[in-house]
Amino acid sequence: MIPITVDNLSVTYSNAKLALYNASCAVEPGTITALVGPNGGGKSTLFKAIMGFLSPNEGNVKIGGLTVEKAQKKQLMAYVPQSDEVDWNFPISVFDVVMMGRYGYMNFLRIPGAKDRRLVMESLEKVGMVEFRDRQIGELSGGQKKRAFLARALAQEGQIILLDEPFTGVDIKTEKQMIDLLLQLRAENHTILISTHDLASISTFCDRTIFLNQTVLASGTTAETFTQENLTMTFGGLPMTSLAFQNSEVDA
Amino acid sequence: MVVWNWIVEPLQYGFLVKAIWVSAFVGLVCAVLSCYITLKGWSLMGDAISHAVVPGVVVAYALNIPFAIGAFVFGFGATVAIGYVKSNTRLKEDAVIGVIFTGFFALGLVLVTKIPSNIDLFHILFGNVLGISTGDIIQTLIAGCTTLIVILLRRRDLLLFCFDPNHAKAIGLNTQVMYYTLLSVLALTVVAALQTTGIIMVISLLVTPGSIAYLLSDRFDYMLVISAISSVSACVLGTYASYHFDVSTGGAIVVLLTLFFVAAMVFAPKYGILRQKRVVGS
């Protein structure tokens, strides 16, 4: 079981916009941790710093004591991107996307072996996407798209899985399926960090919560930290109801 | 019989047979790369490299080294310059590309008029495959074969890099290396196409075949095949047409390729305009 520690992290973008300031937090091993905060509060920036997609101006991220780069080489971390980060018109099938989760294990030519193929099929099975494996990715519904990328994370066999807004554009039934799968992964000792707008569902499956608005305002077990006070501090006094139902787009 | 003569009659001329082979080869190399460039959104980068090679050709002539080396160094150098300016200023990429490639191109014009040489600027700009020399064919073959081999070996990584560079990073692959690999083969392809279409129209071979294929297919492997067929046939037929109708070879190739594109745009079974209209109308 592998923890993530974020120590004193500051990130300023090249347009001089300060995205994160002195953020420190820990994602406990073997837990599901929710990352909540307003849009522009630095959630995606923190994700990108943890995944090594950007280098912080100050501070550092450690994955089980390793640098992010070393953790990547050891295939410790898998990332499920936000829907709008993906080019859905790309001429690629679901199967091929999931296979990309295995590239880190393959040789120079990236020729898949029997084990790679087996793990891809198992991952597709876990998310219930086997029958859609030959579809071009743009031909999927919102929930199927999320599950395809979750399958890629599973195929990568990363001990840590980061999911950026996985419930946006997903219907309630799919959201429930995905939550069940995340709980199952937690039982298999994965460490899961999830950023979400769906505040209502957090207490149903997240062990811990991190509140983020430019910096870490509060973090701890969901039971202790998920309070009206922390929500107000993070979101700036918006009424609870307007936040809980912000995530209203669903599958057609 | 007429068609047969149309095809066979020019083959008695050695220079024409050579031209057909060379342009077919260049068409193939460009077609393969084209699929990556269109998906990555690097069309402008291809245009920039093709213009930036001009000073390289002149300098290579002055130093008496193969033109391909000079062209590659300047073409690749321009992309490095673009990358540097982009990451060290607040300018947007299109502005940086515009500034750098016109700068390189203008330097080439200045050099070509100042350094005494027998370089025909018209041939660099618009190609001269009918008059291609054996030395130039060898350089074209080396540049083209290197490109094909690199892509064959790294095709999966390059596709991942085009599709999802973040995932490539997340699984510990070096995306910097992929970035420069793709830029290098792009520069090499421009060098290979220099003698056939010339630098003004090489962008057509780098963008149009991939675009045609993208309109016709949802799978990358099919895209490669469609791209290659459309590009190679345009190159071969264009070279024939340039002989029969006595028109510019590069021009004929690009006009044909553009016609193929228009046909694909209108009639593509899934993404064509006719089909889209029917979907909206029904």
Side-chain angles (χ1 to χ4, degrees), chain A residues 51 53 72-73 75 77 89-92 100-101 103-104 108-110 134-137 139 152 156, chain B residues 39 153-154 156-157 159-160 162-164 166-167 169-173 214 218-220 223 270:
Chain A
M51 290 305 300
F53 301 159
Q72 287 169 342
K73 289 242 153 61
Q75 307 299 324
M77 291 191 291
N89 290 318
F90 206 89
I92 191 170
M100 282 176 170
Y103 278 19
F108 182 77
L109 294 174
R110 318 276 177 225
D134 291 326
R135 289 256 185 110
Q136 191 266 333
I137 51 169
E139 294 168 349
R152 182 177 75 176
Q156 196 190 331
Chain B
L39 290 175
L153 293 177
R154 309 305 288 150
R156 292 176 202 267
D157 281 19
L159 192 66
L160 170 59
C162 293
F163 175 58
D164 192 349
N166 274 346
H167 177 68
K169 232 179 232 175
I171 60 175
L173 306 184
Y214 186 58
D218 268 339
R219 287 294 177 285
F220 188 74
M223 257 185 85
K270 197 163 160 195

Side-chain angles (χ1 to χ4, degrees), chain A residues 38-58:
Chain A
N39 287 329
K43 292 194 302 277
S44 288
T45 305
L46 183 60
F47 263 43
K48 284 179 182 146
I50 292 173
M51 290 305 300
F53 301 159
L54 58 79
S55 32
N57 303 73
E58 266 177 69

Side-chain angles (χ1 to χ4, degrees), chain A residues 197-211:
Chain A
H197 273 117
D198 189 2
L199 298 177
S201 69
I202 285 176
S203 54
T204 66
F205 73 102
C206 296
D207 310 299
R208 302 176 67 88
T209 306
I210 297 171
F211 290 87

